[in-house]
Amino acid sequence: MSPSSREATNQPPPLVGHNVVASDRALVEAVTRHAGSDVVDDLLALGQRAGSAEAREHGRLANRHVPELTPYDRYGNRIDEVVFHPSWHWLMERAVGYGLHAAPWVEQAEGATTAHVRRAAGFMAWSHTDPAHGCPISMTYAAVPALRVDPALAAHWTPALAATAYDPGLRPPSAKRGALAGMGMTEKQGGSDVRANLTDARPTAGEGEYTLHGHKWFTSAPMNDVFLMLAQAPGGLTCFVVPRVLADGTRNRIDIVRLKDKLGNRANASAELELDGTVGARLGEEGRGVRTILEMVAATRLDCVLGSTSLMRHTLNEAAWHVAHRSAFGGLLADKPLMLNVVADLQVEAEAATALAIRLAAAVDAGDDPREAALRRIALPLAKFWVCKRTPGFVAEALECLGGNGYVEESGLPLRYREAPLNSVWEGSGNINALDVLRALGREPEVLDAWIVEVGHARGADRRLDRAVDDTLALLGDTGSAEVGARRLAGRMAACLQGALLVRFAPAEVADAFCGSRLGTSYDGTYGALTAGSADLRAIADRATPTPLSGES
């Protein structure tokens, strides 16, 4: 074997030892804008650990050794336990320890004004390690606002859900230092049409207690401690709080039929459940289940946007790092005009997603402020539709920057490519969110006012943005074809929100590139087709390249 085949040359060094917070200029700027530089400083330790070789390896191992279902113990007793690799627990312990689950709700109740922005940025940064374990973290975050419908249930569960101690295993809540939450909404026959659910809820003699009889078709993280489930009570579809283990230590009747063999998100277990006499406590009034659980759905939709934005940033980091260290055709790939255009265009997309994601988190920090509540109502489904829908194409383009090197599992990019469609499917697919936008516009006139005010902050700063806003408002008048045009409307409204934020706060070259490409009627989504001058492209692309810590590469 010749020496040239034994020694690799012209290969980028591993992208480890960089701070995924400090290296993400768009994230730092957005967090500073909405929460202050102190919050950025508070996140730096998390960012450094998330970019470490150790964290990268744990993410790899958690996905290589997928969860395994153990339905029975050695004696034949039904136990329905899912076993995870130690690396999964390593990732979960730190995510909980950093307060990326339900902790912000308690902090906000105690007077904190930036808890959700901090948590959102931390969730995005920590997701660089592995996106799959963000699912139970997200559901735990989202459970708290739904639980508040019943003050007694909220008081019982919130302290454990917000605790920063990770305590896995099936034990009574009173015996645990912390707890995690999940949800069970869909069934075989209905999917997203949860009003078609058939699971039966039968009242017992206990106050607010029912037994559930039926099934759930897609319940992730089945080892979590408590689940919010929908079932048909005598008064209609109702939400229930269903513990995995009852107060007396007996296991609730939740039979795990099998684990889903999913395209991606494989480190996380998703299960089919059978319920036969499963004990649950009613959350809210009978017949109000959808409205009750929508509080949870809204919060998980935010996390879908955060998770997709993190996937964009992670894969762009890999692409920008590769082209900055790989030479071909007589020079660095990063210096080739067409590659420069691709990286710059990806950076524009990632900046737009980041700006909108952190703006939404800031709206959550605003609490009950009517204008911010209205903005959340319309902007969450808009962002969920648009950002998550654009992520698969983004990840594919970033992967392609590495050529064949990006197509092999060792690069970590195939894992992200399989993950990329997920957030557009979960918590309501694209059509569901586009139709939710129409529903909000039709029933709640204040949400359109909130959108107009938000994009109006940038009025007059860029004629292309002004024209796009006017054209979008004109679309709202076409009521005869409202549903068939719902996706177009949602995409335009979301892009206008992103454009307004970039025009106000991003570097001029980034805002100019976004408005010149995304807001035109001829935009086809192809990356690397910016028309900005070479100097502008270089300035944008430079914001994409991560910087390793001193002395590391």
Side-chain angles (χ1 to χ4, degrees):
M1 185 177 293
S2 65
S4 62
S5 63
R6 294 175 62 90
E7 300 176 4
T9 60
N10 194 29
Q11 290 283 359
L15 179 52
V16 295
H18 75 297
N19 191 309
V20 300
V21 172
S23 292
D24 188 344
R25 299 187 199 180
L27 180 62
V28 169
E29 291 162 4
V31 173
T32 302
R33 179 164 64 247
H34 293 291
S37 59
D38 289 347
V39 174
V40 175
D41 292 341
D42 186 50
L43 291 167
L44 291 178
L46 181 157
Q48 182 173 338
R49 175 167 275 177
S52 68
E54 179 186 26
R56 192 182 187 105
E57 179 65 4
H58 280 298
R60 186 188 72 82
L61 290 172
N63 283 277
R64 185 180 183 110
H65 304 282
V66 298
E68 296 182 358
L69 172 62
T70 305
Y72 298 94
D73 69 10
R74 59 179 292 194
Y75 303 106
N77 298 305
R78 188 81 190 233
I79 58 173
D80 293 286
E81 294 190 3
V82 179
V83 178
F84 293 85
H85 188 268
S87 286
W88 167 271
H89 295 296
W90 187 95
L91 294 163
M92 288 290 296
E93 181 178 14
R94 281 146 188 82
V96 171
Y98 285 125
L100 305 182
H101 57 330
W105 300 109
V106 173
E107 296 167 10
Q108 186 179 36
E110 294 173 347
T113 59
T114 60
H116 293 280
V117 167
R118 180 201 175 278
R119 182 259 172 192
F123 185 90
M124 290 167 59
W126 190 247
S127 294
H128 283 256
T129 62
D130 155 69
H133 76 285
C135 175
I137 296 297
S138 176
M139 291 190 296
T140 304
Y141 170 72
V144 171
L147 286 169
R148 288 176 174 172
V149 172
D150 187 314
L153 287 171
H156 177 75
W157 283 105
T158 299
L161 296 175
T164 53
Y166 176 58
D167 193 0
L170 297 181
R171 299 189 303 284
S174 60
K176 302 192 71 173
R177 295 175 295 122
L180 298 171
M183 68 168 77
M185 296 177 62
T186 61
E187 298 180 6
K188 298 173 187 176
Q189 71 284 347
S192 295
D193 184 7
V194 295
R195 296 189 186 278
N197 282 10
L198 297 176
T199 295
D200 182 30
R202 305 170 189 172
T204 71
E207 178 66 26
E209 184 181 89
Y210 294 67
T211 58
L212 276 55
H213 306 262
H215 79 281
K216 290 299 163 187
W217 185 235
F218 212 118
T219 300
S220 290
M223 288 295 285
N224 282 3
D225 300 285
V226 63
F227 297 86
L228 270 60
M229 293 187 180
L230 294 177
Q232 297 286 358
L237 192 64
T238 304
C239 188
F240 296 91
V241 177
V242 180
R244 193 73 158 80
V245 179
L246 301 176
D248 62 4
T250 59
R251 296 191 176 187
N252 208 354
R253 184 65 185 270
I254 299 176
D255 295 342
I256 302 177
V257 179
R258 61 174 175 170
L259 301 184
K260 299 286 193 181
D261 187 8
K262 298 173 293 185
L263 169 67
N265 201 253
R266 298 181 69 83
N268 175 40
S270 300
E272 298 170 21
L273 306 180
E274 287 187 352
L275 313 172
D276 187 11
T278 308
V279 176
R282 189 185 72 242
L283 182 63
E285 301 174 11
E286 285 193 3
R288 305 277 289 178
V290 172
R291 180 174 292 275
T292 299
I293 209 167
L294 278 179
E295 288 291 337
M296 189 173 190
V297 172
T300 51
R301 283 179 176 175
L302 170 61
D303 280 8
C304 286
V305 177
L306 300 177
S308 289
T309 303
S310 179
L311 281 172
M312 288 184 179
R313 175 53 55 190
H314 179 89
T315 54
L316 177 53
N317 281 353
E318 296 288 343
W321 183 257
H322 179 87
V323 303
H325 293 85
R326 177 84 161 179
S327 294
F329 308 109
L332 280 175
L333 287 174
D335 293 333
K336 303 298 180 181
L338 194 52
M339 182 61 78
L340 182 67
N341 199 323
V342 170
V343 173
D345 207 357
L346 291 171
Q347 175 65 17
V348 168
E349 188 75 25
E351 293 219 20
T354 301
L356 182 54
I358 299 301
R359 175 65 183 93
L360 290 173
V364 180
D365 272 322
D368 295 330
D369 178 272
R371 179 58 56 77
E372 292 294 287
L375 181 64
R376 291 196 305 269
R377 176 66 185 93
I378 190 68
L380 278 170
L382 286 174
K384 166 70 165 65
F385 170 80
W386 184 243
V387 175
C388 299
K389 186 67 66 181
R390 294 184 62 76
T391 302
F394 183 105
V395 173
E397 193 70 55
L399 182 155
E400 189 176 322
C401 290
L402 280 71
N405 288 332
Y407 201 68
V408 297
E409 290 291 340
E410 291 170 306
S411 72
L413 293 179
L415 184 152
R416 267 74 187 183
Y417 186 62
R418 291 190 296 271
E419 188 80 15
L422 175 66
N423 287 322
S424 191
V425 175
W426 281 6
E427 313 313 328
S429 60
N431 284 355
I432 296 296
N433 279 273
L435 292 173
D436 193 28
V437 169
L438 289 187
R439 188 179 304 110
L441 290 170
R443 298 179 180 177
E444 305 167 57
E446 67 272 14
V447 304
L448 179 57
D449 292 340
W451 182 85
I452 291 172
V453 168
E454 187 69 15
V455 297
H457 290 312
R459 191 76 181 179
D462 189 289
R463 57 179 175 76
R464 297 161 297 187
L465 174 61
D466 291 346
R467 183 172 61 246
V469 170
D470 292 340
D471 291 345
T472 302
L473 289 171
L475 286 176
L476 291 169
D478 186 11
T479 56
S481 57
E483 182 169 332
V484 75
R487 282 185 172 225
R488 182 185 179 203
L489 176 64
R492 296 297 290 177
M493 291 183 75
C496 287
L497 281 175
Q498 290 180 321
L501 289 167
L502 294 181
V503 165
R504 294 171 65 197
F505 302 117
E509 59 271 14
V510 173
D512 179 65
F514 182 91
C515 293
S517 57
R518 273 66 172 174
L519 299 183
T521 56
S522 62
Y523 180 59
D524 65 0
T526 302
Y527 290 104
L530 297 178
T531 58
S534 59
D536 288 339
L537 294 179
R538 172 60 65 192
I540 297 170
D542 283 347
R543 290 170 61 84
T545 307
T547 304
L549 299 175
S550 178
E552 299 187 59
S553 63

